[in-house]
Amino acid sequence: RPALRLGMVMMPFGHHQRLMLGRDISDLMRLEQVRQDFVANVSHELRTPLTVIHGYLELLDPEDQPELAPVIAEMRVQSERMGQIVEDLLMLSRLETHQPLQEEHVAMRPLLATLRKEALALSHGRHHIELQERTDTDLYGSVRELHSAFSNLVSNAVRYTPTQGRITLIWERTDEGARFTVEDTGYGIPANHLARLTERFYRVSSSRSRDTGGTGLGLSIVKHVLNRHQAQLHIESEPGHGSRFSCRFGSMRLLKPIRLDA
Ligand code: ADP
């Protein structure tokens, strides 16, 4: 058991104490496993009933009963939201099971183009959206996971930036490797919240987050995905002026792009 070994190797105690410590840690690990399994099972079990509710709501035609139209609309929004929470919880559970990372060539050019399109679709023309590709370097990692992490940062930027704001996506080389940054001129985050931002369900303002359709799980997903790629999330923000979220990758994660025409 790794926990036992950790206790025995790291701690300068007597034999008996080392065993006790080892057992305490493995108890904690078992509890953590129970928590993870519970979340995964509940989320999985919620999927089917939600799909059924969702399906029936789609069948209801508000024009048949105009007085119910606002109720039906609200029920659709809320079931959509619940579906998103369940999907995010399942994604987090998958990330927590420590399955080996599916490593492949991540072509950044098409990924960045997709992220830009997603930003435009979410913004509905309310923001200035810019993509700066300062390098043609690619990444080595999981396309699915990295796409999901970067998308979360992009959708946050759109949701927490008022109309007319500017959102910039930047992909560039650094001394250590490369960096993907999402910058916005939005509401910003007070400094005392920054340290806890990647905790599950942590929100600076729950009403604003709920209004904008957040699940409170986005940044936890980002942090897990980056951890699995040995990358770091850096957050800078100035309330009232905007925020900058950057994902920093080490040079071992970089790849030269494949040129089909070469
Ligand atoms: P949510 O689904 O609530 O957006 P996240 O985990 O993605 O959950 O983000 C956690 C909290 O961090 C949000 O509720 C919001 O308060 C804050 N936040 C995240 N991104 C930004 C941003 N670009 N600008 C301002 N606040 C942000």
PDB file of all heavy atoms in Angstrom, residues 76-105:
ATOM      1  N   ARG A  76     -37.208  23.956 -18.638  1.00  0.00           N
ATOM      2  CA  ARG A  76     -36.188  23.535 -19.604  1.00  0.00           C
ATOM      3  C   ARG A  76     -34.812  24.065 -19.208  1.00  0.00           C
ATOM      4  O   ARG A  76     -33.828  23.339 -19.233  1.00  0.00           O
ATOM      5  CB  ARG A  76     -36.535  24.053 -21.006  1.00  0.00           C
ATOM      6  CG  ARG A  76     -37.596  23.213 -21.674  1.00  0.00           C
ATOM      7  CD  ARG A  76     -37.871  23.701 -23.073  1.00  0.00           C
ATOM      8  NE  ARG A  76     -38.924  22.915 -23.676  1.00  0.00           N
ATOM      9  CZ  ARG A  76     -39.632  23.280 -24.727  1.00  0.00           C
ATOM     10  NH1 ARG A  76     -39.382  24.461 -25.301  1.00  0.00           N
ATOM     11  NH2 ARG A  76     -40.556  22.497 -25.222  1.00  0.00           N
ATOM     12  N   VAL A  77     -34.752  25.331 -18.815  1.00  0.00           N
ATOM     13  CA  VAL A  77     -33.474  25.919 -18.404  1.00  0.00           C
ATOM     14  C   VAL A  77     -32.895  25.143 -17.224  1.00  0.00           C
ATOM     15  O   VAL A  77     -31.720  24.777 -17.195  1.00  0.00           O
ATOM     16  CB  VAL A  77     -33.646  27.415 -18.021  1.00  0.00           C
ATOM     17  CG1 VAL A  77     -32.420  27.964 -17.319  1.00  0.00           C
ATOM     18  CG2 VAL A  77     -33.973  28.243 -19.259  1.00  0.00           C
ATOM     19  N   GLN A  78     -33.771  24.853 -16.229  1.00  0.00           N
ATOM     20  CA  GLN A  78     -33.272  24.198 -15.014  1.00  0.00           C
ATOM     21  C   GLN A  78     -32.877  22.751 -15.261  1.00  0.00           C
ATOM     22  O   GLN A  78     -31.903  22.261 -14.675  1.00  0.00           O
ATOM     23  CB  GLN A  78     -34.299  24.283 -13.876  1.00  0.00           C
ATOM     24  CG  GLN A  78     -34.600  25.707 -13.410  1.00  0.00           C
ATOM     25  CD  GLN A  78     -33.358  26.443 -12.919  1.00  0.00           C
ATOM     26  OE1 GLN A  78     -32.362  25.844 -12.546  1.00  0.00           O
ATOM     27  NE2 GLN A  78     -33.398  27.765 -12.945  1.00  0.00           N
ATOM     28  N   SER A  79     -33.600  22.055 -16.152  1.00  0.00           N
ATOM     29  CA  SER A  79     -33.213  20.655 -16.392  1.00  0.00           C
ATOM     30  C   SER A  79     -31.915  20.627 -17.200  1.00  0.00           C
ATOM     31  O   SER A  79     -31.066  19.750 -17.011  1.00  0.00           O
ATOM     32  CB  SER A  79     -34.330  19.855 -17.067  1.00  0.00           C
ATOM     33  OG  SER A  79     -34.318  20.009 -18.448  1.00  0.00           O
ATOM     34  N   GLU A  80     -31.724  21.599 -18.061  1.00  0.00           N
ATOM     35  CA  GLU A  80     -30.474  21.759 -18.812  1.00  0.00           C
ATOM     36  C   GLU A  80     -29.306  21.954 -17.836  1.00  0.00           C
ATOM     37  O   GLU A  80     -28.250  21.339 -17.935  1.00  0.00           O
ATOM     38  CB  GLU A  80     -30.665  23.039 -19.655  1.00  0.00           C
ATOM     39  CG  GLU A  80     -29.802  23.297 -20.869  1.00  0.00           C
ATOM     40  CD  GLU A  80     -29.935  22.243 -21.946  1.00  0.00           C
ATOM     41  OE1 GLU A  80     -30.980  22.149 -22.619  1.00  0.00           O
ATOM     42  OE2 GLU A  80     -28.953  21.531 -22.088  1.00  0.00           O
ATOM     43  N   ARG A  81     -29.548  22.820 -16.841  1.00  0.00           N
ATOM     44  CA  ARG A  81     -28.538  23.138 -15.838  1.00  0.00           C
ATOM     45  C   ARG A  81     -28.178  21.914 -15.008  1.00  0.00           C
ATOM     46  O   ARG A  81     -27.010  21.626 -14.752  1.00  0.00           O
ATOM     47  CB  ARG A  81     -29.122  24.190 -14.896  1.00  0.00           C
ATOM     48  CG  ARG A  81     -28.197  25.322 -14.564  1.00  0.00           C
ATOM     49  CD  ARG A  81     -28.938  26.340 -13.728  1.00  0.00           C
ATOM     50  NE  ARG A  81     -28.701  26.083 -12.314  1.00  0.00           N
ATOM     51  CZ  ARG A  81     -27.533  26.221 -11.727  1.00  0.00           C
ATOM     52  NH1 ARG A  81     -26.492  26.631 -12.408  1.00  0.00           N
ATOM     53  NH2 ARG A  81     -27.388  25.977 -10.446  1.00  0.00           N
ATOM     54  N   MET A  82     -29.206  21.170 -14.612  1.00  0.00           N
ATOM     55  CA  MET A  82     -28.960  19.981 -13.813  1.00  0.00           C
ATOM     56  C   MET A  82     -28.170  18.973 -14.646  1.00  0.00           C
ATOM     57  O   MET A  82     -27.255  18.313 -14.134  1.00  0.00           O
ATOM     58  CB  MET A  82     -30.297  19.381 -13.376  1.00  0.00           C
ATOM     59  CG  MET A  82     -30.160  18.467 -12.223  1.00  0.00           C
ATOM     60  SD  MET A  82     -31.747  18.366 -11.410  1.00  0.00           S
ATOM     61  CE  MET A  82     -31.590  16.815 -10.614  1.00  0.00           C
ATOM     62  N   GLY A  83     -28.521  18.860 -15.917  1.00  0.00           N
ATOM     63  CA  GLY A  83     -27.787  17.962 -16.803  1.00  0.00           C
ATOM     64  C   GLY A  83     -26.320  18.348 -16.872  1.00  0.00           C
ATOM     65  O   GLY A  83     -25.428  17.495 -16.816  1.00  0.00           O
ATOM     66  N   GLN A  84     -26.060  19.652 -16.930  1.00  0.00           N
ATOM     67  CA  GLN A  84     -24.671  20.131 -17.012  1.00  0.00           C
ATOM     68  C   GLN A  84     -23.913  19.808 -15.716  1.00  0.00           C
ATOM     69  O   GLN A  84     -22.762  19.384 -15.753  1.00  0.00           O
ATOM     70  CB  GLN A  84     -24.676  21.658 -17.272  1.00  0.00           C
ATOM     71  CG  GLN A  84     -23.320  22.228 -17.625  1.00  0.00           C
ATOM     72  CD  GLN A  84     -22.692  21.536 -18.837  1.00  0.00           C
ATOM     73  OE1 GLN A  84     -23.292  21.477 -19.897  1.00  0.00           O
ATOM     74  NE2 GLN A  84     -21.496  20.980 -18.660  1.00  0.00           N
ATOM     75  N   ILE A  85     -24.591  19.970 -14.566  1.00  0.00           N
ATOM     76  CA  ILE A  85     -23.935  19.654 -13.282  1.00  0.00           C
ATOM     77  C   ILE A  85     -23.576  18.168 -13.244  1.00  0.00           C
ATOM     78  O   ILE A  85     -22.466  17.791 -12.871  1.00  0.00           O
ATOM     79  CB  ILE A  85     -24.853  20.022 -12.095  1.00  0.00           C
ATOM     80  CG1 ILE A  85     -25.050  21.537 -12.029  1.00  0.00           C
ATOM     81  CG2 ILE A  85     -24.277  19.503 -10.775  1.00  0.00           C
ATOM     82  CD1 ILE A  85     -26.029  22.004 -10.968  1.00  0.00           C
ATOM     83  N   VAL A  86     -24.526  17.317 -13.669  1.00  0.00           N
ATOM     84  CA  VAL A  86     -24.277  15.875 -13.650  1.00  0.00           C
ATOM     85  C   VAL A  86     -23.102  15.527 -14.578  1.00  0.00           C
ATOM     86  O   VAL A  86     -22.208  14.755 -14.211  1.00  0.00           O
ATOM     87  CB  VAL A  86     -25.559  15.111 -14.050  1.00  0.00           C
ATOM     88  CG1 VAL A  86     -25.256  13.656 -14.355  1.00  0.00           C
ATOM     89  CG2 VAL A  86     -26.584  15.211 -12.931  1.00  0.00           C
ATOM     90  N   GLU A  87     -23.087  16.122 -15.769  1.00  0.00           N
ATOM     91  CA  GLU A  87     -21.988  15.826 -16.698  1.00  0.00           C
ATOM     92  C   GLU A  87     -20.651  16.293 -16.118  1.00  0.00           C
ATOM     93  O   GLU A  87     -19.641  15.611 -16.231  1.00  0.00           O
ATOM     94  CB  GLU A  87     -22.234  16.499 -18.066  1.00  0.00           C
ATOM     95  CG  GLU A  87     -23.360  15.883 -18.877  1.00  0.00           C
ATOM     96  CD  GLU A  87     -23.263  14.356 -18.980  1.00  0.00           C
ATOM     97  OE1 GLU A  87     -22.171  13.843 -19.296  1.00  0.00           O
ATOM     98  OE2 GLU A  87     -24.267  13.669 -18.711  1.00  0.00           O
ATOM     99  N   ASP A  88     -20.635  17.478 -15.484  1.00  0.00           N
ATOM    100  CA  ASP A  88     -19.390  17.986 -14.888  1.00  0.00           C
ATOM    101  C   ASP A  88     -18.926  17.087 -13.734  1.00  0.00           C
ATOM    102  O   ASP A  88     -17.736  16.820 -13.582  1.00  0.00           O
ATOM    103  CB  ASP A  88     -19.576  19.424 -14.374  1.00  0.00           C
ATOM    104  CG  ASP A  88     -19.456  20.449 -15.505  1.00  0.00           C
ATOM    105  OD1 ASP A  88     -19.226  20.029 -16.656  1.00  0.00           O
ATOM    106  OD2 ASP A  88     -19.591  21.653 -15.233  1.00  0.00           O
ATOM    107  N   LEU A  89     -19.896  16.611 -12.926  1.00  0.00           N
ATOM    108  CA  LEU A  89     -19.525  15.716 -11.822  1.00  0.00           C
ATOM    109  C   LEU A  89     -18.940  14.408 -12.361  1.00  0.00           C
ATOM    110  O   LEU A  89     -17.971  13.885 -11.819  1.00  0.00           O
ATOM    111  CB  LEU A  89     -20.754  15.402 -10.954  1.00  0.00           C
ATOM    112  CG  LEU A  89     -21.115  16.463  -9.921  1.00  0.00           C
ATOM    113  CD1 LEU A  89     -22.449  16.111  -9.255  1.00  0.00           C
ATOM    114  CD2 LEU A  89     -20.027  16.573  -8.852  1.00  0.00           C
ATOM    115  N   LEU A  90     -19.536  13.898 -13.440  1.00  0.00           N
ATOM    116  CA  LEU A  90     -19.020  12.659 -14.029  1.00  0.00           C
ATOM    117  C   LEU A  90     -17.617  12.877 -14.592  1.00  0.00           C
ATOM    118  O   LEU A  90     -16.740  12.036 -14.439  1.00  0.00           O
ATOM    119  CB  LEU A  90     -19.955  12.176 -15.144  1.00  0.00           C
ATOM    120  CG  LEU A  90     -21.169  11.398 -14.656  1.00  0.00           C
ATOM    121  CD1 LEU A  90     -22.142  11.147 -15.802  1.00  0.00           C
ATOM    122  CD2 LEU A  90     -20.740  10.059 -14.056  1.00  0.00           C
ATOM    123  N   MET A  91     -17.427  14.043 -15.201  1.00  0.00           N
ATOM    124  CA  MET A  91     -16.104  14.360 -15.756  1.00  0.00           C
ATOM    125  C   MET A  91     -15.072  14.408 -14.621  1.00  0.00           C
ATOM    126  O   MET A  91     -13.997  13.829 -14.714  1.00  0.00           O
ATOM    127  CB  MET A  91     -16.186  15.717 -16.462  1.00  0.00           C
ATOM    128  CG  MET A  91     -14.873  16.292 -16.897  1.00  0.00           C
ATOM    129  SD  MET A  91     -14.570  15.892 -18.626  1.00  0.00           S
ATOM    130  CE  MET A  91     -12.860  16.335 -18.794  1.00  0.00           C
ATOM    131  N   LEU A  92     -15.438  15.089 -13.508  1.00  0.00           N
ATOM    132  CA  LEU A  92     -14.521  15.165 -12.355  1.00  0.00           C
ATOM    133  C   LEU A  92     -14.231  13.777 -11.798  1.00  0.00           C
ATOM    134  O   LEU A  92     -13.094  13.469 -11.462  1.00  0.00           O
ATOM    135  CB  LEU A  92     -15.155  16.011 -11.251  1.00  0.00           C
ATOM    136  CG  LEU A  92     -14.723  17.459 -11.135  1.00  0.00           C
ATOM    137  CD1 LEU A  92     -15.413  18.103  -9.953  1.00  0.00           C
ATOM    138  CD2 LEU A  92     -13.213  17.578 -10.995  1.00  0.00           C
ATOM    139  N   SER A  93     -15.269  12.931 -11.713  1.00  0.00           N
ATOM    140  CA  SER A  93     -15.065  11.579 -11.195  1.00  0.00           C
ATOM    141  C   SER A  93     -14.091  10.819 -12.074  1.00  0.00           C
ATOM    142  O   SER A  93     -13.207  10.132 -11.575  1.00  0.00           O
ATOM    143  CB  SER A  93     -16.376  10.796 -11.165  1.00  0.00           C
ATOM    144  OG  SER A  93     -17.270  11.418 -10.311  1.00  0.00           O
ATOM    145  N   ARG A  94     -14.267  10.944 -13.387  1.00  0.00           N
ATOM    146  CA  ARG A  94     -13.352  10.237 -14.293  1.00  0.00           C
ATOM    147  C   ARG A  94     -11.925  10.727 -14.093  1.00  0.00           C
ATOM    148  O   ARG A  94     -10.979   9.956 -14.078  1.00  0.00           O
ATOM    149  CB  ARG A  94     -13.780  10.441 -15.757  1.00  0.00           C
ATOM    150  CG  ARG A  94     -14.869   9.465 -16.194  1.00  0.00           C
ATOM    151  CD  ARG A  94     -15.008   9.475 -17.702  1.00  0.00           C
ATOM    152  NE  ARG A  94     -15.445  10.767 -18.189  1.00  0.00           N
ATOM    153  CZ  ARG A  94     -16.711  11.099 -18.424  1.00  0.00           C
ATOM    154  NH1 ARG A  94     -17.656  10.216 -18.233  1.00  0.00           N
ATOM    155  NH2 ARG A  94     -17.035  12.295 -18.870  1.00  0.00           N
ATOM    156  N   LEU A  95     -11.784  12.075 -13.903  1.00  0.00           N
ATOM    157  CA  LEU A  95     -10.438  12.631 -13.741  1.00  0.00           C
ATOM    158  C   LEU A  95      -9.803  12.143 -12.435  1.00  0.00           C
ATOM    159  O   LEU A  95      -8.601  11.978 -12.343  1.00  0.00           O
ATOM    160  CB  LEU A  95     -10.489  14.156 -13.739  1.00  0.00           C
ATOM    161  CG  LEU A  95     -10.858  14.819 -15.065  1.00  0.00           C
ATOM    162  CD1 LEU A  95     -11.086  16.308 -14.866  1.00  0.00           C
ATOM    163  CD2 LEU A  95      -9.771  14.581 -16.093  1.00  0.00           C
ATOM    164  N   GLU A  96     -10.671  11.922 -11.415  1.00  0.00           N
ATOM    165  CA  GLU A  96     -10.149  11.536 -10.100  1.00  0.00           C
ATOM    166  C   GLU A  96      -9.771  10.067 -10.015  1.00  0.00           C
ATOM    167  O   GLU A  96      -9.123   9.654  -9.066  1.00  0.00           O
ATOM    168  CB  GLU A  96     -11.203  11.825  -9.013  1.00  0.00           C
ATOM    169  CG  GLU A  96     -11.240  13.277  -8.616  1.00  0.00           C
ATOM    170  CD  GLU A  96     -12.360  13.556  -7.624  1.00  0.00           C
ATOM    171  OE1 GLU A  96     -13.283  12.735  -7.495  1.00  0.00           O
ATOM    172  OE2 GLU A  96     -12.311  14.596  -6.975  1.00  0.00           O
ATOM    173  N   THR A  97     -10.220   9.245 -10.961  1.00  0.00           N
ATOM    174  CA  THR A  97      -9.939   7.813 -10.838  1.00  0.00           C
ATOM    175  C   THR A  97      -8.510   7.486 -11.238  1.00  0.00           C
ATOM    176  O   THR A  97      -8.113   6.324 -11.197  1.00  0.00           O
ATOM    177  CB  THR A  97     -10.899   6.964 -11.702  1.00  0.00           C
ATOM    178  OG1 THR A  97     -10.825   7.459 -13.037  1.00  0.00           O
ATOM    179  CG2 THR A  97     -12.299   7.018 -11.175  1.00  0.00           C
ATOM    180  N   HIS A  98      -7.753   8.517 -11.607  1.00  0.00           N
ATOM    181  CA  HIS A  98      -6.334   8.342 -11.935  1.00  0.00           C
ATOM    182  C   HIS A  98      -6.114   7.334 -13.055  1.00  0.00           C
ATOM    183  O   HIS A  98      -5.146   6.590 -13.044  1.00  0.00           O
ATOM    184  CB  HIS A  98      -5.533   7.906 -10.699  1.00  0.00           C
ATOM    185  CG  HIS A  98      -5.644   8.888  -9.583  1.00  0.00           C
ATOM    186  ND1 HIS A  98      -5.120  10.155  -9.671  1.00  0.00           N
ATOM    187  CD2 HIS A  98      -6.245   8.812  -8.377  1.00  0.00           C
ATOM    188  CE1 HIS A  98      -5.392  10.802  -8.556  1.00  0.00           C
ATOM    189  NE2 HIS A  98      -6.080  10.025  -7.759  1.00  0.00           N
ATOM    190  N   GLN A  99      -7.082   7.260 -13.962  1.00  0.00           N
ATOM    191  CA  GLN A  99      -6.825   6.412 -15.125  1.00  0.00           C
ATOM    192  C   GLN A  99      -5.679   7.025 -15.906  1.00  0.00           C
ATOM    193  O   GLN A  99      -5.531   8.243 -15.916  1.00  0.00           O
ATOM    194  CB  GLN A  99      -8.075   6.346 -16.002  1.00  0.00           C
ATOM    195  CG  GLN A  99      -9.077   5.363 -15.464  1.00  0.00           C
ATOM    196  CD  GLN A  99     -10.416   5.483 -16.121  1.00  0.00           C
ATOM    197  OE1 GLN A  99     -10.575   6.278 -17.039  1.00  0.00           O
ATOM    198  NE2 GLN A  99     -11.361   4.718 -15.642  1.00  0.00           N
ATOM    199  N   PRO A 100      -4.874   6.182 -16.568  1.00  0.00           N
ATOM    200  CA  PRO A 100      -3.741   6.749 -17.292  1.00  0.00           C
ATOM    201  C   PRO A 100      -4.220   7.753 -18.351  1.00  0.00           C
ATOM    202  O   PRO A 100      -5.281   7.575 -18.945  1.00  0.00           O
ATOM    203  CB  PRO A 100      -3.077   5.533 -17.945  1.00  0.00           C
ATOM    204  CG  PRO A 100      -3.971   4.379 -17.695  1.00  0.00           C
ATOM    205  CD  PRO A 100      -4.960   4.733 -16.654  1.00  0.00           C
ATOM    206  N   LEU A 101      -3.432   8.783 -18.504  1.00  0.00           N
ATOM    207  CA  LEU A 101      -3.782   9.844 -19.448  1.00  0.00           C
ATOM    208  C   LEU A 101      -3.688   9.290 -20.870  1.00  0.00           C
ATOM    209  O   LEU A 101      -2.740   8.597 -21.214  1.00  0.00           O
ATOM    210  CB  LEU A 101      -2.757  10.971 -19.261  1.00  0.00           C
ATOM    211  CG  LEU A 101      -3.014  12.288 -19.952  1.00  0.00           C
ATOM    212  CD1 LEU A 101      -4.236  12.962 -19.385  1.00  0.00           C
ATOM    213  CD2 LEU A 101      -1.795  13.190 -19.783  1.00  0.00           C
ATOM    214  N   GLN A 102      -4.733   9.564 -21.667  1.00  0.00           N
ATOM    215  CA  GLN A 102      -4.693   9.178 -23.086  1.00  0.00           C
ATOM    216  C   GLN A 102      -3.795  10.185 -23.789  1.00  0.00           C
ATOM    217  O   GLN A 102      -4.210  11.301 -24.046  1.00  0.00           O
ATOM    218  CB  GLN A 102      -6.094   9.302 -23.702  1.00  0.00           C
ATOM    219  CG  GLN A 102      -7.120   8.378 -23.131  1.00  0.00           C
ATOM    220  CD  GLN A 102      -7.068   7.030 -23.817  1.00  0.00           C
ATOM    221  OE1 GLN A 102      -6.611   6.929 -24.952  1.00  0.00           O
ATOM    222  NE2 GLN A 102      -7.490   5.992 -23.129  1.00  0.00           N
ATOM    223  N   GLU A 103      -2.589   9.798 -24.098  1.00  0.00           N
ATOM    224  CA  GLU A 103      -1.663  10.791 -24.659  1.00  0.00           C
ATOM    225  C   GLU A 103      -1.604  10.696 -26.168  1.00  0.00           C
ATOM    226  O   GLU A 103      -1.478   9.623 -26.738  1.00  0.00           O
ATOM    227  CB  GLU A 103      -0.277  10.604 -24.053  1.00  0.00           C
ATOM    228  CG  GLU A 103      -0.305  10.997 -22.581  1.00  0.00           C
ATOM    229  CD  GLU A 103       1.030  10.868 -21.921  1.00  0.00           C
ATOM    230  OE1 GLU A 103       1.622   9.786 -22.026  1.00  0.00           O
ATOM    231  OE2 GLU A 103       1.483  11.849 -21.303  1.00  0.00           O
ATOM    232  N   GLU A 104      -1.734  11.848 -26.786  1.00  0.00           N
ATOM    233  CA  GLU A 104      -1.719  11.898 -28.249  1.00  0.00           C
ATOM    234  C   GLU A 104      -1.237  13.275 -28.677  1.00  0.00           C
ATOM    235  O   GLU A 104      -1.039  14.161 -27.847  1.00  0.00           O
ATOM    236  CB  GLU A 104      -3.130  11.633 -28.783  1.00  0.00           C
ATOM    237  CG  GLU A 104      -4.149  12.634 -28.241  1.00  0.00           C
ATOM    238  CD  GLU A 104      -5.574  12.107 -28.205  1.00  0.00           C
ATOM    239  OE1 GLU A 104      -5.993  11.520 -29.200  1.00  0.00           O
ATOM    240  OE2 GLU A 104      -6.246  12.299 -27.180  1.00  0.00           O
ATOM    241  N   HIS A 105      -1.070  13.420 -29.978  1.00  0.00           N
ATOM    242  CA  HIS A 105      -0.652  14.710 -30.520  1.00  0.00           C
ATOM    243  C   HIS A 105      -1.861  15.657 -30.485  1.00  0.00           C
ATOM    244  O   HIS A 105      -2.889  15.366 -31.072  1.00  0.00           O
ATOM    245  CB  HIS A 105      -0.171  14.493 -31.962  1.00  0.00           C
ATOM    246  CG  HIS A 105       0.409  15.721 -32.571  1.00  0.00           C
ATOM    247  ND1 HIS A 105       1.598  15.706 -33.254  1.00  0.00           N
ATOM    248  CD2 HIS A 105      -0.013  17.001 -32.584  1.00  0.00           C
ATOM    249  CE1 HIS A 105       1.876  16.930 -33.668  1.00  0.00           C
ATOM    250  NE2 HIS A 105       0.908  17.736 -33.280  1.00  0.00           N
TER     251      HIS A 105
END
